[in-house]
Amino acid sequence: MRVLTQDGGRVHATTQQRAADHRPYFFLSYAHTPGYGSGTDPDMWVERLFHDLCGHVMAMTDLPAGASAGFIDREIGAGEGWSERLGEVLATCRVFVPLFSPRYFASEMCGKEWYAFAQRAIHHRARSNQRAEAIVPALWVPVPPSQLPGPAERLQFNHRDFGDRYVSDGLYGLIKLRLFAQEYERAVYELAKRIVNVADTIQLGTGRPVDYRMAPSAFGPPNSTLAPRPMQVTIAAPTRHDLPDGRSSDYYGDTPQDWNPYHPTSVRPLAYVTEDLVRSLNYQATVSSFDEEAGHAEDKHTPSRPEILLVDRWALQDEERRRRLAAFDAENRPWVTMVVPWNREDEQSRAAEAELTEKLEETMPAKMSQGRAFCRAAAKGVPSMEAFGQLLPQVVEAAAQQYLRHAAVYPPAGGGHTERTRLMGPMAQTNHIPETLDPAMDGEDADDGRP
């Protein structure tokens, strides 16, 4: 157990827990400012802030000489793999510090950094059912709340703890004007103290490096609205009260939404892990079960939102549910993308895999063959939580693009023309299949057969 005490601004931990954890305390994420012709470095003030923070962090901790208190991309050397280095640090740093500004939320690169770090917190919660809020935002230039994307808006953080002048002017205003030197020092000191406290309290574990080049942006695609976009998540699974004979109840709960196919690796129902993953892509997710008829009451030709359908193969052992899934499959709903989570550590599922796979192929042949290679891979079975997290952004993209394609065909009631707010998926131009999925799928033609 970690024991924390404070002496002035210094944070102490037990010797046992300190052992050899020399990871950077924070990753400073900022939007690069274009040069304006004066010959000076427009990001010199960000670098000064970084060094000031590092100095405080070193003073507040027992990091040894030579250890990195923080990381900024200006440290990447010539000839060093840029995306690989970013992916490595984002998978290991303890706290993520985004410098809020209007330019920050317009930056696809900043959104990729945010997304890569946020996945670690989501998987930490899936494994432990404990929140891991390790993002500590800082105001570089104040941004109105109405201009924040969903992932930033949801952060629980009181900026006034760092001073009223900080809230009104941001760190850029404080650092540029000598008049506010004292307010700047206070804000930086308080920010450093918050970074150290969060790092030592949360203890977010390391993650698998995200391929930075392929990562989506947590703020949505370039030039899209920052407002969260709708996404339906539907669960087709039994409950522990209506399981097939002999099926273990370890993976189920009182509702279909309680289904946890990746037990015991994950202790959290997959519906809510999916909701977190979808929200990390700046969508507003609505979760329901397939058995709730209201979830599929919309006209099959007029979609109201894109949808992800999570299917438990064991659900098809119920003949009535199987009949309704077959009827659903027969309808033309390409904006609904099916994902079949499949735990390779589940002995019962492995033993029945051939039988259950055949039944799913007979019941839902359209969904099994729909879409691009990664969609077909998702329908054939996603074998682990890690693979699920890697694949889901592409599945969300496919559903969002199909929704756009089909929803745009239908004008609003009354015949008037209203321009539709553009709903773009998080991974435009991306068609990458996670390595942890069936490698035989990697070589499949990406053509989905549609014009």
Side-chain angles (χ1 to χ4, degrees):
M1 177 178 180
R2 195 172 185 86
V3 179
L4 299 175
T5 61
Q6 288 192 335
D7 178 11
R10 189 173 180 83
V11 181
H12 303 276
T14 61
T15 302
Q16 178 182 4
Q17 291 294 335
R18 290 180 191 151
D21 189 357
H22 298 158
R23 296 177 295 152
Y25 262 79
F26 68 97
F27 182 109
L28 189 63
S29 177
Y30 68 101
H32 291 257
T33 302
Y36 44 84
S38 65
T40 59
D41 179 1
D43 292 322
M44 62 182 290
W45 302 110
V46 174
E47 186 165 19
R48 177 186 162 185
L49 168 65
F50 172 74
H51 288 299
D52 289 343
L53 282 171
C54 286
H56 284 308
V57 170
M58 290 298 290
M60 293 176 184
T61 66
D62 57 359
L63 283 173
S68 296
F71 176 87
I72 189 172
D73 64 7
R74 295 166 75 91
E75 294 184 341
I76 299 177
E80 188 175 1
W82 180 70
S83 61
E84 291 79 7
R85 179 72 173 131
L86 284 177
E88 174 190 340
V89 179
L90 286 164
T92 57
C93 66
R94 308 186 205 190
V95 174
F96 183 77
V97 181
L99 287 187
F100 282 15
S101 70
R103 189 180 300 278
Y104 186 84
F105 295 112
S107 168
E108 183 181 15
M109 296 300 102
C110 294
K112 285 173 175 279
E113 292 170 358
W114 187 306
Y115 172 84
F117 184 84
Q119 302 316 293
R120 290 169 58 194
I122 292 172
H123 287 283
H124 174 93
R125 189 179 183 191
R127 292 189 298 268
S128 66
N129 209 25
Q130 299 293 320
R131 290 184 179 273
E133 301 292 350
I135 296 178
V136 177
L139 299 179
W140 186 244
V141 177
V143 181
S146 61
Q147 295 181 18
L148 295 176
E153 186 181 20
R154 288 191 294 269
L155 291 178
Q156 300 296 315
F157 195 86
N158 185 6
H159 289 285
R160 293 203 175 274
D161 289 346
F162 297 172
D164 291 340
R165 181 65 66 178
Y166 164 81
V167 172
S168 64
D169 291 75
L171 287 166
Y172 178 72
L174 301 186
I175 200 173
K176 285 287 286 184
L177 300 177
R178 294 179 184 176
L179 176 66
F180 300 143
Q182 186 174 355
E183 285 87 345
Y184 170 76
E185 292 296 342
R186 174 194 171 185
V188 175
Y189 172 77
E190 292 293 343
L191 177 58
K193 195 163 66 171
R194 182 70 61 88
I195 290 169
V196 173
N197 185 60
V198 169
D200 284 338
T201 303
I202 299 298
Q203 294 192 55
L204 182 64
T206 59
R208 183 179 185 273
V210 172
D211 186 341
Y212 187 78
R213 294 163 299 182
M214 307 300 297
S217 169
F219 313 145
N223 303 318
S224 65
T225 176
L226 290 177
R229 301 149 292 169
M231 178 69 63
Q232 177 73 31
V233 177
T234 304
I235 315 298
T239 72
R240 64 185 180 90
H241 305 291
D242 60 354
L243 291 173
D245 290 342
R247 176 58 174 154
S248 171
S249 62
D250 290 346
Y251 304 89
Y252 303 91
D254 292 328
T255 71
Q257 292 92 320
D258 294 326
W259 175 44
N260 182 13
Y262 297 120
H263 167 83
T265 301
S266 173
V267 299
R268 196 158 181 254
L270 187 62
Y272 304 110
V273 177
T274 304
E275 182 181 26
D276 286 346
L277 289 166
V278 168
R279 281 158 57 104
S280 78
L281 295 164
N282 201 26
Y283 283 89
Q284 185 63 49
T286 302
V287 178
S288 65
S289 76
F290 182 80
D291 292 341
E292 297 170 0
E293 290 296 336
H296 294 280
E298 67 179 24
D299 188 306
K300 67 179 181 179
H301 295 299
T302 55
S304 61
R305 65 188 63 196
E307 181 175 348
I308 307 300
L309 176 64
L310 304 181
V311 176
D312 178 13
R313 291 170 179 163
W314 289 99
L316 277 71
Q317 298 294 76
D318 181 286
E319 286 302 320
E320 172 59 22
R321 187 183 295 113
R322 181 184 180 187
R323 181 191 64 77
R324 287 189 286 109
L325 283 168
F328 180 81
D329 186 71
E331 298 173 352
N332 182 29
R333 297 177 188 247
W335 55 89
V336 180
T337 303
M338 183 172 72
V339 182
V340 180
W342 189 248
N343 187 352
R344 56 190 169 199
E345 305 300 326
D346 179 350
E347 294 183 3
Q348 287 183 330
S349 292
R350 284 207 315 271
E353 183 169 9
E355 173 193 349
L356 295 178
T357 299
E358 181 180 4
K359 184 169 289 189
L360 180 61
E361 290 173 344
E362 292 173 352
T363 304
M364 307 188 75
K367 289 298 176 192
M368 289 293 292
S369 59
Q370 175 182 298
R372 298 181 181 272
F374 55 81
C375 291
R376 298 194 294 274
K380 288 186 176 181
V382 186
S384 68
M385 175 64 76
E386 181 181 350
F388 184 85
Q390 292 176 320
L391 185 69
L392 193 70
Q394 299 173 77
V395 172
V396 168
E397 159 72 6
Q401 291 299 328
Q402 286 297 324
Y403 169 76
L404 277 177
R405 178 177 294 185
H406 291 81
V409 172
Y410 300 94
H417 176 72
T418 301
E419 184 177 356
R420 172 178 294 275
T421 300
R422 186 157 178 75
L423 171 64
M424 298 178 68
M427 297 189 69
Q429 310 302 320
T430 298
N431 190 25
H432 174 68
I433 300 175
E435 295 177 0
T436 43
L437 290 178
D438 183 359
M441 295 297 297
D442 286 347
E444 289 198 27
D445 183 7
D447 183 12
D448 61 3
R450 295 187 297 269

